[in-house]
Amino acid sequence: MTVHDKIALTADDLQGDISRHLKLSIGKDASHASLHDWRMALSLALRDRVVEPWFASTRKTYDGKHKRVYYLSMEFLIGRLIEDVTINLQVEDMAVEAMKALGQDYYEVVKEEPDAALGNGGLGRLAACFMDSLATLAIPAYGYGIRYEHGLFEQHFENGQQTETAEGWLAQSHVWEFERPEVAYKIHFGGYVSEENGKANWNPSETVLASAYDTPVVGWQAKWANTLRLWAAKPIKLFDLESFNRGDYVGANAPERLARTISRVLYPDDTTTEGKELRLKQEYFFTSASIKDLLRRHDYEGYDIRDLHDHVAIQLNDTHPAIAGPELIRLLVDKHDFSFDEAIDMARKCLGYTNHTLLPEALEKWPADLFARILPRHYRIIEIIQDRHIAATGSDIRIIEHGNVKMGELAFIMAHSVNGVSALHSDLVKETVFHDLNAAYPNRILNQTNGITPRRWLYSCNPALRGLITDTIGTGWESDLERLTDLNAHLDDASFQEAYRAAKSTNKDRLAAWLQERSDVTLDTSAMFDIQIKRIHEYKRQHLNILETIALWNDIRDNPNGNWTPRVKIFGGKAAPGYALAKSIIRLINDVAATINNDPITREFLQVVYPENYNVSMAEILIPASDLSEQISTAGKEASGTGNMKLSLNGSPTIGTLDGANVEIREHVGAENFFLFGLTAAEATEKRKDHGYSRRAIESSPKLSRVLGQIAGGVFSNGDHHRYSDILHNLYEHDYFLVSCDFDNYFAKQREVDAVYQDVTRWTRMAAANTAGMGWFSSDRTIRGYADDIWGAKSVE
Ligand code: HBZ
């Protein structure tokens, strides 16, 4: 049976469904329908086809009594859904045909869909890739998160500086979801705890409703579908009629406003903690609703609460849902007569915790008094967890310390398994942040190197390369990505190489056309497209890249007749609104772009572009068009990276440090196909002990000294000597991220890149070897690892 038989679909059917939805669901006549209306109609017609596999999966899980995975994440960065669904259902051609018959361009309609940007970066996108793989592998699973009214802010540049405006994806109806008004839980905050008949009784001061919205997530070829259940906060009482009748119309709406605030905005907070009360409430809100929901399902299916761990695996995506431990214990003790020891033991059997960062400032901590005020019962439970932990292990690691509740320690102690997200990161987790807890609980830490879904990050975003791969090695690689190694036999084949280059140039043309239309910027598509796309952060070192760009510009100006390799440096990414230094880096990039792009001497060799508002949809255009992938973080600081995987898979060799998953990428694609530079993690740690290292490194590098002198001299800031004093001061006096120490090495490696790029055959071989070597980085492999090593969950065949 083909996937089309299974979902009973032909292009005619689809066309009929679209017309029917346009008329009956949207209430529009074809002659008056807008692009938006057509999108709604197409989406609804596609959604119809997801429902059958979705129901079938639910039934099979229920009938087979299969264990379910619950993936708790503050973020799901899913992006657009139309193509995701047409591709998983394998109906893209049909959709194109059906829309054409209706006088519409499918691709225009696709572009009209706003991104569901319910995440900041890697962590949120990883959750979305995991949902795709869980469905593809037919592992019964729920993703649980928050239905933010406003996703990640929109980024604009004003005079080169980042400004932010609210994102509004829910301003129009989100047709992919099903509202579940009957699935709602009361979530409490504040108040006090009393004792009744020896039982604790929480008397909260504030209560909101968590109301469920379900989006089906269909896997490859519609074999299986799971649910993404997002919680929206609503008031328990919609409206204060008493106030209204008194004429207090604003006051009448207060209950609604207060409750809604909880699911109003995504914290625009990549890697630094935000010590806000509202954020703690958000975390408890969605975690509590999710735990209550899975307990209700367990009970509904007639299972004994004492067997919970046989049916339920809960994964914590970072510490944001770490309150799951105390919440589950609370419900087991206060509502189900478990003893504390029994409840702690049960919670631990159900919970796994994934760590995504070593940066101390990113490990969540809450002021103990705030925590105790908002969650008084949980605070007491955490004290008990801590006591039992100390009694059982003799460890002197505490969860509550120096007036803070430390969520990393809580998550670690409450989970049966703690994992890092790349081999290097997991080793560093053992050696650094959780050194002592690792000693207290040996073997608890393991590694699951991140992965990416090849359906979205190759098949969907790169039709040109998809076609070549299938022509060369046949189908099947989409769900068995390691089959890409079959490409190795063709790497030196001239016709394969030519076709590989043709695919890349199609993608570069597509990017150039997009940029021309969007920002009236013209790209030289014969130049190397050198791309750095990720959140802006000191440790990711976009400033290293832009400093190198300035040094290259200097060299070209000094010798305009040299044999230069034309490059377009492309940046994409947002800075957290409160992160001043990251914002300065953005401004510097834009200032440098303005200067360099207007230099007639260097223009044909060097261009810098930075399209505003980088998001998933933009990544889908940039990644396939990339020639060179910049993965230049300070070694030891990037937990894994996943953009590095997407770029390499799409035929873009990496220039990078031995950091995060770069280490494993290099092993898989071959050291000869990777441009390595920079200090190692161990060398970086040593270097920091070497007092005055940055100033010395700068003074011993004529190129870097010249560049920093130009910035200080106002070359890129209209003579303003102070605009970048924050960056300069940091580099000279502190430079924790070792930009100065890695600069010369990076510059030299870039010149090696230039030379290799001119050797077209060699470069093509390298690029294709990257594609061929990246099969292991499919998130299908990652999810199998979690299922086997952590969840004890099985694929339903
Ligand atoms: O998680 C990222 C890591 O930096 C990256 O190396 C890794 O590949 C990826 C997936 O494992 N971490 C994040 O994206 N973190 C956040 O976005 C974040 C969001 C809110 C916070 C803290 C971190 O409060």
Side-chain angles (χ1 to χ4, degrees), residues 75 120-123 126 269-273 279 320 356 421 450 539-540 638-642:
E75 306 191 2
N120 275 288
L123 171 152
L126 185 76
D269 182 15
D270 179 271
T271 73
T272 51
T273 45
R279 166 123 179 157
H320 317 146
H356 296 268
V421 290
N450 283 167
Y539 85 77
K540 294 177 188 282
E638 187 70 271
S640 162
T642 45

Side-chain angles (χ1 to χ4, degrees), residues 460-474:
S460 164
C461 72
N462 197 343
L465 185 56
R466 170 225 295 183
L468 174 60
I469 293 171
T470 300
D471 289 348
T472 311
I473 64 169

